[in-house]
Amino acid sequence: MQILRTPDDRFENLPDFPFAPHYVEIPDLEGGRLRIHYLDEGPRDGKSVLLFHGEPTWCYLYRKMIPHLTAAGLRVLAPDLVGMGRSDKPAETSDYSYDRHVLWMEAWLHAVDVQGAIWFGQDWGSLIGLGMVTRNAQRFDGIVIANGLLPDMAHLDRMVPYQLRSPDPAAFGRWQDWIRDQKEIDAGQIVAEGVPGEHPEPVLKLSPAERAAYNAPFPDGRYQAGALIFPFLLNNLNAAGRQICVDGWDVLEKWTKPFVTAFGKADGVLGWADDYFQDLVPGAKGQPHKTFKDGRHFIQEEEPQALADAVIDVARRT
């Protein structure tokens, strides 16, 4: 496995991102090693909160939430998924699969060795993170999820009516159609505008420097194998990946610890999935769920205070 590592100078002087890098090395599952980057902010004796990002972002997505969480006395750990951010980047799209992502992040979790944690995730961070959490449920006291999902592979028919509640059921298909032919993507543009050319005005008001920060991990297209293949990992789900999802839902359907959803409902890709969790996860019953009527996919950019408050509330109740 060929591994690329983004030069450190790409991450200098990023706006609103004063956080120091931390690293652990894990097995790459082929006999080598991968370096995973993460942030570690707040008091070391504070309750741990894990923040998982998605596609095509990195832990920079959490720069607005972290100060609220640490001010509440929480310890915040925010990793970059393999292939993203400051983490190592396997160079071939064939190096990536859903089950590998889960096992890589599970190895990171064991390396940082947190207990009694609250997990928060969005987008692919939710698919990977919930796969990891449900395999290590004893380490977690609560879950907060924003615009995310764990596919219920044993009951795909049960998911269909919920998916049809999306404000734009064809959104993910258009995303796949567009990215399929790309050799290199502008991550900052995608975060701000969605699929290029789809919106007459940017969905999010990001400054040029913030857009550049989302592109910092990718000096050129060679570093983007992970980002380019992410939208298709479920299309090519192998037996191991399917089993992680099935086993994960076995855990979630018995999960009685707090499970809180905080979703932007204008997100055509995942804005519907909060209803699914609320109906099927016992720990979601009676929780103070949040919805943001006009909130879109990257809700961390739009509602950082409200999302942090949801995490803080769960942390204080556990």
Side-chain angles (χ1 to χ4, degrees):
M1 186 183 293
Q2 180 188 2
I3 304 297
L4 302 177
R5 183 171 293 175
T6 304
D8 287 340
D9 61 9
R10 296 275 300 181
F11 302 96
E12 293 176 358
N13 302 314
L14 301 182
D16 302 315
F17 200 73
F19 312 116
H22 298 264
Y23 300 96
V24 296
E25 285 197 351
I26 63 164
D28 70 1
L29 309 180
E30 292 189 358
R33 306 288 290 177
L34 285 170
R35 190 179 77 168
I36 292 184
H37 166 258
Y38 65 103
L39 304 181
D40 191 346
E41 297 291 320
R44 294 300 180 270
D45 60 352
K47 192 172 188 68
S48 295
V49 174
L50 278 54
L51 306 178
F52 274 45
H53 71 86
E55 150 84 342
T57 63
W58 58 295
C59 65
Y60 185 76
L61 181 64
Y62 287 106
R63 70 196 181 283
K64 299 177 182 178
M65 287 179 61
I66 291 171
H68 299 299
L69 296 170
T70 57
L74 301 175
R75 180 189 181 189
V76 178
L77 296 102
D80 289 333
L81 300 178
V82 173
M84 312 295 280
R86 297 182 82 143
S87 290
D88 281 351
K89 299 170 180 65
E92 302 297 330
T93 57
S94 59
D95 295 329
Y96 298 87
S97 65
Y98 172 68
D99 58 300
R100 279 189 168 187
H101 270 296
V102 173
L103 294 176
W104 285 332
M105 297 317 296
E106 183 174 63
W108 170 82
L109 175 68
H110 293 171
V112 297
D113 194 26
V114 296
Q115 302 284 345
I118 307 300
W119 175 87
F120 177 97
Q122 174 261 349
D123 189 72
W124 268 99
S126 67
L127 281 79
I128 294 166
L130 286 175
M132 178 199 76
V133 169
T134 54
R135 288 167 57 88
N136 297 271
Q138 74 283 358
R139 290 180 178 265
F140 293 91
D141 287 348
I143 289 172
V144 183
I145 183 170
N147 291 68
L149 178 68
L150 181 67
D152 192 352
M153 300 304 297
H155 302 97
L156 291 177
D157 57 330
R158 188 168 68 179
M159 297 180 69
V160 171
Y162 292 85
Q163 290 175 293
L164 293 177
R165 299 177 191 176
S166 166
D168 185 1
F172 186 64
R174 290 198 306 276
W175 165 238
Q176 288 185 310
D177 289 344
W178 177 82
I179 201 171
R180 184 176 285 110
D181 296 326
Q182 307 304 309
K183 302 300 182 185
E184 184 173 357
I185 59 174
D186 183 329
Q189 180 186 35
I190 291 167
V191 173
E193 302 179 19
V195 176
E198 189 164 284
H199 300 284
E201 297 291 336
V203 174
L204 296 175
K205 294 181 179 179
L206 298 182
S207 70
E210 288 173 318
R211 291 185 180 218
Y214 278 113
N215 282 315
F218 308 124
D220 57 54
R222 294 175 302 152
Y223 292 77
Q224 292 187 337
L228 291 169
I229 199 60
F230 250 134
F232 306 101
L233 290 184
L234 289 185
N235 297 54
N236 303 303
L237 198 64
N238 59 25
R242 177 183 171 84
Q243 195 62 49
I244 288 172
C245 294
V246 170
D247 292 345
W249 268 104
D250 284 345
V251 172
L252 289 179
E253 289 193 279
K254 301 178 183 70
W255 183 276
T256 58
K257 290 177 274 191
F259 189 109
V260 175
T261 62
F263 273 54
K265 299 300 285 184
D267 174 11
V269 176
L270 288 167
W272 55 271
D274 54 342
D275 292 340
Y276 197 74
F277 287 121
Q278 290 175 32
D279 287 349
L280 293 172
V281 179
K285 306 301 182 184
Q287 295 292 337
H289 304 293
K290 296 179 183 290
T291 58
F292 310 99
K293 179 175 178 291
D294 299 318
R296 295 186 179 268
H297 187 67
F298 298 105
I299 194 66
Q300 299 95 319
E301 288 282 358
E302 298 177 287
E303 299 288 350
Q305 178 73 71
L307 296 177
D309 287 346
V311 174
I312 292 165
D313 174 67
V314 172
R316 287 176 175 170
R317 289 191 284 122
T318 56

